[in-house]
Amino acid sequence: MLVTTLIPTYNRAREVVRAVESALAQRYPTELHEVLVVDDGSTDGTAQVLSERFGERIRVLRKPNGGVSAARNHGIAHARGAAIALLDSDDTWRPDKLALQVDVLRRRPRVGMVLTSLISIDAEGRETGIMSRRATLPVDGH
């Protein structure tokens, strides 16, 4: 299953590099994974930083600033994947995230969305807590 990792960003040239690196480091087949960054009108050179750092390994779309939802919608409209994985430009993923989530989607074809808990970290990268998805959304369903 082709998966599009979609990263909307605005004036986060430094932070988005870490997000992209974590997307590219996924233990999911490279030929089944595209990384798409939507630069939502950045003025800090974000698109140039991404192009110089990652070249052809990612796609970068630029659009006038319209907010994160507009950037996500723009990316979804241009995504090639059958599944969309949303990654904020100041977040990172564990290397097995996509593989585990795609496995759930394959095993349970009626499932339309797979959510995860998140681990908060401080500026030095130390874990500071876990936000449980189950505590936020205790019941599965529509």
Side-chain angles (χ1 to χ4, degrees):
M1 170 187 304
L2 180 62
V3 176
T4 298
T5 293
L6 176 54
I7 307 171
T9 192
Y10 175 72
N11 285 341
R12 285 189 169 155
R14 194 177 76 238
E15 293 89 347
V16 72
V17 167
R18 290 183 60 230
V20 170
E21 287 172 343
S22 78
L24 291 173
Q26 290 299 296
R27 293 185 195 124
Y28 190 74
T30 304
E31 67 275 9
L32 295 177
H33 183 211
E34 78 164 337
V35 177
L36 176 57
V37 179
V38 177
D39 181 352
D40 191 36
S42 295
T43 59
D44 68 347
T46 293
Q48 182 177 347
V49 167
L50 291 171
S51 177
E52 290 172 1
R53 178 86 179 226
F54 300 107
E56 304 265 330
R57 295 190 299 158
I58 68 171
R59 283 196 304 147
V60 178
L61 302 178
R62 297 192 73 193
K63 62 174 282 311
N65 184 257
V68 68
S69 295
R72 284 187 181 126
N73 289 337
H74 186 74
I76 289 168
H78 289 87
R80 298 177 183 141
I84 307 293
L86 300 174
L87 175 57
D88 288 344
S89 60
D90 61 343
D91 290 344
T92 60
W93 285 342
R94 290 189 171 184
D96 57 350
K97 179 202 185 295
L98 282 184
L100 292 170
Q101 287 184 307
V102 169
D103 182 57
V104 170
L105 293 172
R106 283 189 179 134
R107 286 185 293 108
R108 299 181 62 192
R110 293 187 62 189
V111 169
M113 179 183 291
V114 180
L115 305 174
T116 65
S117 298
L118 66 85
I119 299 170
S120 298
I121 59 171
D122 63 17
E124 285 76 40
R126 295 181 300 246
E127 292 183 15
T128 60
I130 295 177
M131 186 183 94
S132 169
R133 188 213 48 96
R134 217 17 112 197
T136 306
L137 298 168
V139 179
D140 290 337
H142 297 22

